[in-house]
């Protein structure tokens, strides 16, 4: 049905991003729209059908329904819909039908694409993935694979130190990867030759294996550049092998970092690593809010910001572990300190409590347990003093339940899987986010692999975990807006943690369980789930983009609070956002709800 151009133009002037167009361009766009009237209850399109253009509601209301029949959004005048499927492959992702008599305008796909290509406002509005804009160019955001020296020079353990010295001289390098059948056995540096060979007067035919650093600290190609600097500063080393699947892929040295800087976070890590008391550590962690503000202001990606902040917590924890052994004496048996919660996922922000546990060697006696009770108390009290407050739910190694030998932990996980009562679901959710911080990694490695394998095979447990993951819902109101907090201190705010990032973290945890995937970080789990085929490519990318936006706005809100001289928190007032940001945030929440609905209707879900 034809519609007067002036009428459409006047309407578009009140709709973003059309309001940003010059008058002559706005007239052209107005003439491109077609108009159609829909009685209440009419279908606009069905999921899977081809979409011919972008829909814009002029009058009335439209409900958007996912493939499982779940309502994900109720839209009113000035709301657009259909763009996700249109811009992806031209097929509708959802179904849309009117709930009252409606007038809907449609912009042809070719015209929409022309506007996206020619107008920055349209490009920003319809490009839900702003990842490329938010990633900084400093060391923090660069992956190790982009920094490492490829094709590292190697030498066998049986070679002589004279051969090693000549090789380093001829290649103008300061280190060698010591390998056997392609597998890393150690690293030899010029410092080793000086301190362990020349200074000790060893002969030139001494074998490399006798003076190398065996089983050195390593990184993976996917590690962040900040991991290099933080590890080097904390451990006072200058060379790090890069290993993937047991094979040496490269080697990183301090000289590789000369054109990159990450001064602020590195300074906090260095200061924390040299603290002698928890009170000194508190002085370091007190600077984290300002670090958060600076990192956000520099447009770093949210996963980089939270990774750098978590690095500080990891360093504080490892320093306290060393101080505990210095105070109490060497541990009687091997142990492993692990973090869970946001620290475990490497997703800490400007506010964090502590969630941790201890896994002990099976040889631990009752006397040994008494030692580790004091050990855990020392570290946990130190973390509290340093600003990482006691966990309200007592998920800490100071709780005897969470300071046990491997055999007990194995029994815990087996029991949670076999009898997934509500408490078991909650505990399993927390403990599936465990990440080793200090101690003997082997104590956890086998346990993690066994648990993932057993849990993934148990369809009833998986179904309960799915049901548990759906308890936190995104804050969507049916009438276009958000379901904000209704009363109290945070009235008219959204909890961007509980109803924002947590629903995505819960989804990612289930995907990792279904695919027996070892990553703990939420974004890494989504990427791994996509690569493993646990979720579709389009679903994974939609959810990742939604998560990026939610997490970014959460951090930006915290940074704004810091700038205002207030403590950062997780509560965001939608009224503080622009129309543009509110629109995108609501779309992100719709994606999360859609993915929750898809998971809830999957074969593994409870009826």
């Amino acid at each position: 049905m034809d519609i007067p151009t002036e009428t459409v133009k006047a309407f578009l002037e009140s709709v973003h991003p059309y309001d940003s167009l010059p008058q002559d361009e706005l007239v052209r766009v107005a003439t491109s729209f077609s108009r159609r009237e829909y009685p209440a209850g009419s279908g606009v399109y069905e999921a899977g059908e081809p979409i011919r253009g972008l829909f814009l509601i002029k009058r009335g209301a439209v409900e958007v329904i996912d493939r499982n029949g779940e309502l994900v959004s109720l839209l009113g005048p000035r709301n657009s819909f259909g763009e996700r499927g249109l811009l992806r492959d031209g097929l509708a992702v959802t179904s849309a039908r009117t709930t009252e008599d409606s007038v809907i305008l449609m912009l042809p796909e070719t015209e929409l694409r022309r506007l996206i290509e020619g107008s920055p406002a349209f490009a920003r509005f319809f490009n839900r993935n702003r990842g490329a804009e938010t990633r900084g160019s400093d060391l923090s955001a660069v992956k190790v694979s982009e920094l490492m020296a490829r094709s590292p020079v190697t030498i066998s353990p049986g070679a002589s130190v004279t051969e090693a010295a000549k090789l380093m001289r001829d290649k103008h390098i300061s280190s060698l990867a010591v390998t056997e059948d392609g597998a890393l056995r150690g690293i030899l540096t010029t410092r080793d030759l000086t301190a362990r060979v020349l200074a000790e007067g060893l002969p030139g035919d001494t074998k490399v294996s006798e003076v190398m650093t065996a089983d050195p600290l390593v990184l993976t190609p996917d590690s962040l550049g900040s991991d290099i600097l933080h590890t080097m500063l904390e451990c006072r080393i200058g060379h790090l092998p890069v290993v993937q699947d047991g094979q040496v892929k490269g080697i990183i040295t301090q000289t590789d970092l000369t054109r990159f800087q990450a001064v602020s976070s590195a300074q906090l890590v260095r200061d924390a690593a040299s603290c002698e008391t928890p009170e000194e550590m508190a002085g370091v962690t007190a600077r984290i809010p300002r670090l958060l503000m600076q990192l956000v202001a520099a447009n770093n990606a949210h996963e980089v910001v939270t990774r750098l902040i978590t690095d500080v917590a990891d360093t504080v924890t490892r320093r306290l572990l060393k101080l505990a052994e210095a105070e109490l004496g060497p541990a009687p048996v091997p142990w492993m300190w692990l973090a869970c919660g946001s620290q475990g996922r490497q997703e800490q922000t400007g506010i964090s409590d502590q969630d941790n546990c201890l896994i002990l060697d099976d040889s631990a006696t009752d006397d040994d347990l008494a030692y580790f009770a004091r050990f855990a108390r020392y570290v946990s009290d130190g973390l509290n003093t340093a600003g990482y407050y006691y966990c309200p739910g007592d998920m800490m190694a100071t709780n005897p339940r969470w300071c046990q030998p491997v055999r007990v932990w194995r029994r815990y996980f087996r029991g949670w899987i076999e009898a997934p009562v509500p408490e078991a679901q909650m505990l399993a959710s927390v403990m599936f986010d465990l990440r080793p911080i200090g101690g003997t990694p082997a104590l956890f490695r086998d346990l993690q692999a066994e648990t993932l394998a057993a849990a993934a095979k148990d369809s009833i447990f998986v179904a309960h975990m799915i049901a548990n993951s759906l308890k936190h819902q995104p804050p969507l109101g049916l009438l276009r807006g958000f379901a904000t907090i209704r009363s109290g201190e945070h009235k008219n705010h959204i909890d961007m943690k509980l109803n924002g990032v947590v629903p995505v973290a819960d989804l990612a945890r289930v995907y990792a369980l279904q695919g027996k995937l070892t990553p703990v970080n939420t974004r890494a789990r989504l990427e791994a789930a996509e690569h493993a085929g646990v979720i579709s490519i389009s679903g994974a990318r939609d959810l990742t983009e939604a998560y990026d936006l939610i997490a970014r706005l959460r951090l930006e809100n915290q940074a704004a609070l810091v700038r205002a001289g207030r403590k950062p928190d997780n509560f965001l007032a939608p009224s503080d956002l622009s129309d543009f940001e509110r629109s995108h945030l609501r779309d992100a929440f719709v994606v999360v709800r859609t993915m929750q609905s898809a998971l809830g209707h999957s074969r593994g879900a409870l009826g």
Side-chain angles (χ1 to χ4, degrees), residues 44-45 54-65 71-83 94-104 128 476-481 582-583 586-587 590:
V44 182
Y45 58 73
L54 174 72
F55 297 93
L56 176 63
I57 303 171
K58 187 174 186 296
R59 186 178 73 243
V62 172
E63 60 181 9
V64 178
I65 303 162
L71 177 66
V72 296
S73 190
L74 183 59
L75 307 176
R78 297 180 178 80
N79 284 164
S80 299
F81 61 99
E83 68 269 25
T94 56
S95 298
R97 64 173 177 237
T98 59
T99 60
E100 57 186 72
D101 293 347
S102 302
V103 174
I104 298 176
R128 303 304 184 188
L476 285 170
L478 286 180
L479 296 174
R480 298 178 56 195
R582 282 197 298 272
S583 174
R586 195 176 192 285
D587 285 350
V590 167

Side-chain angles (χ1 to χ4, degrees), residues 390-406:
Y390 297 125
C391 173
D394 204 19
M395 298 292 296
M396 298 180 295
T398 50
N399 183 338
R401 189 179 184 185
W402 311 128
C403 179
Q404 293 291 334
V406 174

Side-chain angles (χ1 to χ4, degrees), residues 198-216:
L198 292 177
E200 297 297 329
L202 296 182
D205 60 356
T206 300
K207 291 184 177 180
V208 166
S209 60
E210 298 177 36
V211 295
M212 70 181 185
T213 299
D215 297 321

Side-chain angles (χ1 to χ4, degrees), residues 67-134:
R67 292 177 181 271
N68 300 303
E70 296 288 334
L71 177 66
V72 296
S73 190
L74 183 59
L75 307 176
R78 297 180 178 80
N79 284 164
S80 299
F81 61 99
E83 68 269 25
R84 282 177 60 206
L86 180 68
L87 296 176
R88 180 193 296 165
D89 56 12
L91 300 179
V93 179
T94 56
S95 298
R97 64 173 177 237
T98 59
T99 60
E100 57 186 72
D101 293 347
S102 302
V103 174
I104 298 176
L105 308 179
M106 190 188 77
L107 183 68
E109 177 188 355
T110 54
E111 186 67 7
L112 175 62
R113 291 190 181 278
R114 184 188 70 81
L115 288 169
I116 291 173
E117 291 176 3
S119 167
F122 272 80
R124 286 195 302 271
F125 192 83
F126 289 103
N127 176 14
R128 303 304 184 188
N129 180 14
R130 298 185 62 196
E133 295 179 18
T134 58

Side-chain angles (χ1 to χ4, degrees), residues 362-481:
D362 278 338
S363 63
T365 65
D366 288 345
D367 288 342
D368 297 335
L369 290 176
Y371 169 90
F372 284 108
R374 298 191 299 273
F375 182 88
R377 175 56 60 191
Y378 184 100
V379 177
S380 187
D381 287 350
L383 287 170
N384 183 68
T385 300
Y388 301 100
Y389 305 115
Y390 297 125
C391 173
D394 204 19
M395 298 292 296
M396 298 180 295
T398 50
N399 183 338
R401 189 179 184 185
W402 311 128
C403 179
Q404 293 291 334
V406 174
R407 64 179 181 277
V408 176
W409 280 99
R410 187 172 281 112
R411 187 168 69 244
Y412 285 164
F413 280 106
R414 187 167 57 248
W416 296 332
I417 293 169
E418 294 175 354
V421 296
E423 184 194 34
Q425 296 169 38
M426 182 274 292
L427 293 174
S429 295
V430 172
M431 295 306 177
F432 273 119
D433 291 352
L434 288 175
R435 181 172 61 87
I437 301 297
T440 304
L443 292 175
F444 177 64
R445 190 181 304 122
D446 292 341
L447 178 64
Q448 182 189 39
E450 292 172 14
T451 301
L452 280 173
K457 288 191 300 184
D458 193 308
S459 59
I460 295 177
F461 176 74
V462 172
H464 278 283
M465 289 294 288
I466 290 174
N468 189 65
S469 73
L470 304 180
K471 291 180 179 178
H472 297 106
Q473 294 286 325
L476 285 170
L478 286 180
L479 296 174
R480 298 178 56 195

Side-chain angles (χ1 to χ4, degrees), residues 293-319:
M293 184 180 68
Q294 292 173 345
L295 291 171
V296 171
N299 289 325
N300 286 284
H302 69 88
E303 70 269 23
V304 172
V305 177
T306 56
R307 178 71 168 272
L308 296 179
I309 291 174
T310 305
D311 283 350
V312 180
D314 289 355
T315 303
V316 168
T317 305
R318 282 192 287 265
R319 182 60 181 155

